[in-house]
Amino acid sequence: MACQICYGGATQPMLRRGTIFALTATLGASVASGCRGPEPEVFQVRVTSIDTHGGPALADEQVEGIMRHSLERAPSFSPAERDQRSQRSRGNVEVLNASLEYREIPDAADNGRDLLVRLFIEPPEDLGDELGRDGLDATVMLERKAGEADLESDLQLATDRLAIILQARADLARRSEGAVEGLLATRDAEIILETLAWIRRHPQDAQSRQAADRVAELINDEDENVGLLAIETIGEIGGPEHVAIVIDRIQLTNAGQVSRAYEAIARLGGPDAEGFLRFAARNEDEPNQRAAAERALRRVAEVGGAMDEAGHARTRGHR
């Protein structure tokens, strides 16, 4: 079994074009459980649309029950009470409309089927801008081999996963105390990727700056996508003190890491950065990598990084 997620992808064509990452289907407590501070406002969620695209379907009551169970994993959301269906909000509780789409897609390769599930929750009024383009909209693909598929349990698993993803986005949008630290501490690659992307959009945020050391550690993450995005992110929030860490952690045989590292090191700046980039530009054998090192060297020189001998001491793997 495998499960995949597409960020901001509302339909299958977007799922094909969008960035898709493999993820585990193991679901535990909310990933936000490590966050500290007062209890956040809870948004009531009302399912107003269920669409199966003409395929196999569960009764609406079953789907609503699945949603109620999934929202238990998301402390910021809870099912709307039935007597709230005719009104937009009640008291200080904001009611958000939600739509759930799901459909089965046959997989000819193993005679199994994939289950594509999309959950959209309308953004709260005060978080619309903070949530950005993707908002509270995510799509999961759950893959099943022949004989393993069970629509009800698979839909529950996929919807649980979506609730966790949207809870993480809500925590980041609210800048909940300890949110960045807690989310980066998970072993969930998708949650970490969400958080790194948020940090890149908010490099001046205090939580982003405080996460620099943890981001540097993630360069060695077992998930390649996490490692690559961590390199890009440290260049946005780190400083000259992180240059040696980046040089030590990148794999100099990995072209994707090296090209990103050159740019990140240039952004970090300082004499160590200029020394390393000058050495790399002089000694890279691969033309594209050498060009990347030269561009990075020009960049760090433009911001006034002065070279000293320390830069030459951190040239692991180069001639």
Side-chain angles (χ1 to χ4, degrees):
M1 177 186 67
C3 188
Q4 296 177 318
I5 185 168
C6 175
Y7 298 112
T11 62
Q12 190 174 1
M14 289 186 69
L15 184 62
R16 292 195 189 101
R17 294 196 302 267
T19 303
I20 302 175
F21 305 104
L23 55 86
T24 64
T26 303
L27 298 171
S30 168
V31 295
S33 60
C35 300
R36 300 177 296 275
E39 288 294 321
E41 177 187 0
V42 176
F43 300 108
Q44 299 270 318
V45 176
R46 174 178 55 205
V47 179
T48 59
S49 173
I50 300 172
D51 188 354
T52 65
H53 296 274
L58 300 173
D60 285 357
E61 292 77 9
Q62 287 178 281
V63 176
E64 290 173 357
I66 286 171
M67 275 290 295
R68 284 194 296 272
H69 182 275
S70 295
L71 291 175
E72 293 176 0
R73 299 180 178 276
S76 292
F77 306 100
S78 67
E81 300 298 331
R82 291 186 179 276
D83 62 359
Q84 292 177 323
R85 290 179 180 273
S86 62
Q87 58 190 54
R88 178 67 178 80
S89 62
R90 181 176 184 175
N92 294 324
V93 177
E94 186 173 0
V95 180
L96 308 176
N97 292 326
S99 63
L100 185 72
E101 302 176 33
Y102 64 96
R103 60 171 162 171
E104 293 186 334
I105 304 173
D107 186 345
D110 59 7
N111 295 317
R113 70 104 172 95
D114 300 336
L115 181 64
L116 185 69
V117 185
R118 177 198 177 197
L119 175 60
F120 168 77
I121 300 176
E122 66 174 325
E125 292 180 359
D126 61 340
L127 293 182
D129 292 340
E130 290 294 330
L131 285 166
R133 176 175 56 87
D134 290 344
L136 296 175
D137 185 356
T139 301
V140 159
M141 176 83 81
L142 185 68
E143 300 174 356
R144 288 296 201 184
K145 296 180 180 179
E148 293 182 350
D150 178 83
L151 181 56
E152 183 174 6
S153 61
D154 290 347
L155 184 59
Q156 183 72 74
L157 184 64
T159 309
D160 285 350
R161 182 65 193 167
L162 289 166
I164 288 176
I165 294 290
L166 298 188
Q167 176 62 49
R169 291 186 188 172
D171 284 339
L172 291 168
R174 284 171 156 169
R175 289 174 166 79
S176 300
E177 183 181 356
V180 169
E181 178 185 3
L183 294 171
L184 289 181
T186 70
R187 296 306 307 160
D188 188 319
E190 305 313 316
I191 296 298
I192 293 173
L193 287 165
E194 285 267 358
T195 308
L196 291 174
W198 185 90
I199 291 172
R200 292 198 71 200
R201 295 194 302 271
H202 303 87
Q204 300 303 322
D205 187 87
Q207 291 198 51
S208 296
R209 292 293 185 184
Q210 293 164 6
D213 290 347
R214 172 57 179 158
V215 171
E217 292 175 358
L218 290 170
I219 292 173
N220 291 139
D221 194 86
E222 60 186 17
D223 186 286
E224 183 177 7
N225 291 307
V226 169
L228 293 174
L229 190 54
I231 293 171
E232 296 176 3
T233 304
I234 194 63
E236 300 286 345
I237 62 173
E241 68 274 17
H242 292 103
V243 170
I245 299 173
V246 173
I247 294 171
D248 183 62
R249 288 182 174 273
I250 60 172
Q251 300 177 34
L252 293 173
T253 57
N254 185 318
Q257 282 202 356
V258 171
S259 60
R260 287 170 173 80
Y262 288 157
E263 176 64 21
I265 289 169
R267 288 178 175 273
L268 294 173
D272 287 356
E274 184 170 355
F276 175 77
L277 292 171
R278 189 176 298 279
F279 193 93
R282 187 170 62 244
N283 290 281
E284 274 285 6
D285 294 323
E286 204 282 317
N288 290 333
Q289 295 291 67
R290 183 168 61 251
E294 290 170 349
R295 287 194 300 271
L297 178 60
R298 288 194 296 271
R299 179 186 182 94
V300 75
E302 287 171 359
V303 297
M307 188 187 77
D308 68 2
E309 292 302 317
H312 295 284
R314 296 180 174 89
T315 54
R316 180 176 59 90
H318 288 282
R319 290 198 308 271

